Amino acid sequence: MSNTFVNVPVGKQAQNMDISPQFQPYSGVEIIVNEDESIFVGDRSGRVLSITNPWGSRQQAEDIYSSLTSTGFQYQPYTATSALLNPAAEIGDGVTLNGFYSGIYKMTRNFNSLMSADIEAPQDEEVDHEYPFEPKQDRIFRRQIEDAQAQISLTQSEIAAKVSTTGGNNSSFGWSLLSDKFSLYAGNKEVFKCTSSGVEIQGKIIALSGTIGGFNIGASSIYNGMTSINSTSSGVYVGTNGIAVGGGNFKVTSGGSVSAKNMTLTGTLNIGGTNITAAALRSGAQSAYNNSSTWSTGSGYGYNYNRATQNGTTSYPSYFTVGSFTCNSIRASSINFGGRRLSIGSIPNGSGGYWQVVMWS
Amino acid sequence: MYTVSALWATLIATDGHWFETKVDINGVTYGQDQLMSLSVDLRMFAEQQPSVGGCLAGEINLSMLAPSVSIPRMASIDPYVRVCAGVQQSEWIPQGKYYIDTREITKNDDNLNILTLHGFDSMLKSEAGYPSTSHSWPYTDINVVNEIATTMGVGVDSRTTDLMTNAYQIGLPAGMTMREALGNIAAMYAGNFVMSYDGELLLIAANGIPPETNYLVDAVGDAITFGGDRILV
């Protein structure tokens, strides 16, 4: 059989009894959740049960209030020494003392042949004045407290008004806190907007750290994957000392050095005044041209069967004049020497064919 | 009230009854011939007025002739009491489970060694961090209490279960001791935790005393019985 709380009669069987006036009934429950939050149920016409509990809730306060008020519980303080109390009596049991009813809330049990006990419903508070008098100093102190509370309440109401509306001047600087976004305005423009989707900013941003679009922001670089210009990890690095991508496959330093694993140019590459194009390598008056499958070079001129370049100007003459030069072979339809022409011709050979002959005219 | 037999009720209502005490210390029983004084202090409120959200530990003070056997550190002390009348004796009922905190040996006037022990009940075992758990949080209040009791190696009094019917959901007691967690749960029911005579966690609501009953009593307050039954008026 389970133990139960019961009313244990003691009657007058105690050495001393001191019965104090019963407390007022509880009329309210206050749960202090933390320094900033408390929950109150009921009113303050009677006693208020104050509870400190970080797990407190309004439901708990209502449950406790209902329990206290439905039973009409009133705390009955008393002290009884050397009471002849049944040893089976426990803390939490009721006790009847000379016509008064209370609980066993504190007990010192002496294991003698009588098993006497000092039992108590303790009280440690000032006398419950029925005709209260408030000294002058108390009145001044209470008034100061009330003034301070009123000022705090006023401040809270002002804060509440501000955070629920818009303010400022949108042409210079304004703001609004709405149910779906917080915005800042300047120059009649929304320069900052914070919504559930994120933050949008129009204007200058200074960020010394953090990430943006997956890129890390450093004091002198932004990067993704590559943490330095010489990193071999894949990614991108853009810093004050240069730019690199692909773990160094392409790199440009702040000193102007470029390195690339592979490079394709469709225009002109100039190296110290030397241009490289798809068809020619040219430095000043020196040129080299790609003639289909072979390169033709010369001193002072570039040669091709029908193209010449001199001093950067390309022409397509039917003939052109050169100074002295040395070469292994010349291909030409004719060559002029001091106004006389040396060319290749042909004369019939009498057998239906032709002979090739050198003609001087 | 601890549940007692009909014999107990009969004997305690008998004129000239008395009580006998024994104590089990670390499994060894010591009777009144060796005990010199024994008392326990129990309380339900942490303050000298009604308060809730506490976990109150009971204390025991014991003086006895020093036994010949050595008593280990933190040994258990389990006091028992029974009622006697004439040649009849009731069953022993427990008066709590305590553990030695401090000890002292002195000489009495007869130059005998007197052992004085002071101890606390199992509530002090709750002064440890909340145990790591594998279940998800929040967790129902009574489950949290059971979890703590298991960790403490104690049971839960059925009256605790009877009282905790609101099934409040408890968040992870991160950074709390088990005692703090128990105290917060006790506050939810406007009560306090104590250890019962059986050494189990017992939650008592501040307004938990039973409704007042008025029995017919004699001039000294003893209940007048009719065939052994008290008379309710």
Side-chain angles (χ1 to χ4, degrees), chain A residues 55-76:
Chain A
W55 295 339
S57 67
R58 176 159 292 279
Q59 184 61 53
Q60 290 169 27
E62 291 174 352
D63 290 343
I64 294 169
Y65 174 77
S66 174
S67 172
L68 289 174
T69 54
S70 65
T71 58
F73 174 71
Q74 285 182 261
Y75 186 72
Q76 171 63 68

Side-chain angles (χ1 to χ4, degrees), chain B residues 65-199:
Chain B
L65 293 173
S68 55
V69 298
S70 66
I71 298 174
R73 291 173 61 84
M74 287 183 63
S76 59
I77 308 174
D78 301 337
Y80 294 86
V81 64
R82 70 180 177 186
V83 59
C84 307
V87 296
Q88 287 188 295
Q89 299 160 337
S90 74
E91 76 280 15
W92 292 102
I93 64 170
Q95 292 286 290
K97 292 179 178 296
Y98 302 86
Y99 298 87
I100 296 173
D101 179 43
T102 62
R103 71 180 74 196
E104 184 181 12
I105 293 183
T106 57
K107 297 275 189 185
N108 69 359
D109 295 341
D110 298 326
N111 202 34
L112 296 173
N113 286 332
I114 305 299
L115 174 64
T116 302
L117 300 175
H118 176 251
F120 295 94
D121 64 21
S122 295
M123 190 59 82
L124 292 196
K125 293 180 180 176
S126 65
E127 284 284 8
Y130 199 91
S132 60
T133 57
S134 57
H135 59 77
S136 60
W137 296 85
Y139 211 33
T140 308
D141 51 13
I142 187 63
N143 288 333
V144 173
V145 170
N146 285 324
E147 198 165 62
I148 291 173
T150 300
T151 305
M152 293 169 61
V154 301
V156 177
D157 193 285
S158 61
R159 286 168 289 186
T160 302
T161 309
D162 293 342
L163 179 60
M164 295 180 61
T165 56
N166 292 339
Y168 297 124
Q169 295 297 303
I170 307 297
L172 176 66
M176 287 187 189
T177 64
M178 292 185 288
R179 192 169 188 170
E180 290 169 329
L182 278 178
N184 290 337
I185 292 172
M188 293 173 171
Y189 291 90
N192 297 280
F193 271 105
V194 300
M195 301 304 297
S196 71
Y197 287 161
D198 283 325

Side-chain angles (χ1 to χ4, degrees), chain A residues 1-13 23 26 49 51 53-55 60 63-64 67-68 71 73 75 86-94 101-103 105-111 113-115 120 122-125, chain B residues 1-4 8 12 18-19 21 38-45 48-50 52 79 81 93 95 158-159 166 168 170-171 173 176 181 184-185 187-188 190 197-198 202 204 206-207 209-213 219-222 230:
Chain A
M1 190 167 64
S2 299
N3 302 324
T4 55
F5 295 120
V6 301
N7 177 9
V8 183
V10 169
K12 297 178 181 177
Q13 298 180 103
F23 283 10
Y26 285 94
L49 180 63
I51 301 168
N53 189 356
W55 295 339
Q60 290 169 27
D63 290 343
I64 294 169
S67 172
L68 289 174
T71 58
F73 174 71
Y75 186 72
N86 189 333
E90 297 174 288
I91 289 285
D93 276 330
Y101 182 64
S102 186
Y105 301 117
K106 187 176 181 183
M107 173 167 61
T108 298
R109 172 76 74 178
N110 297 300
F111 287 69
S113 61
L114 297 176
M115 287 296 285
E120 190 178 355
Q123 69 164 343
D124 182 18
E125 59 180 29
Chain B
M1 175 174 275
Y2 195 84
T3 302
V4 293
W8 177 288
I12 204 170
W18 73 93
F19 297 97
T21 302
L38 173 61
S39 67
V40 295
D41 292 307
L42 308 170
R43 57 190 179 133
M44 176 175 156
F45 301 137
Q48 275 293 104
Q49 61 179 334
V52 300
V81 64
I93 64 170
Q95 292 286 290
S158 61
R159 286 168 289 186
N166 292 339
Y168 297 124
I170 307 297
M176 287 187 189
N184 290 337
I185 292 172
M188 293 173 171
Y197 287 161
D198 283 325
L202 172 59
I204 310 173
N207 63 331
I209 60 172
E212 182 177 3
T213 51
V220 295
D222 282 340
R230 290 177 292 182

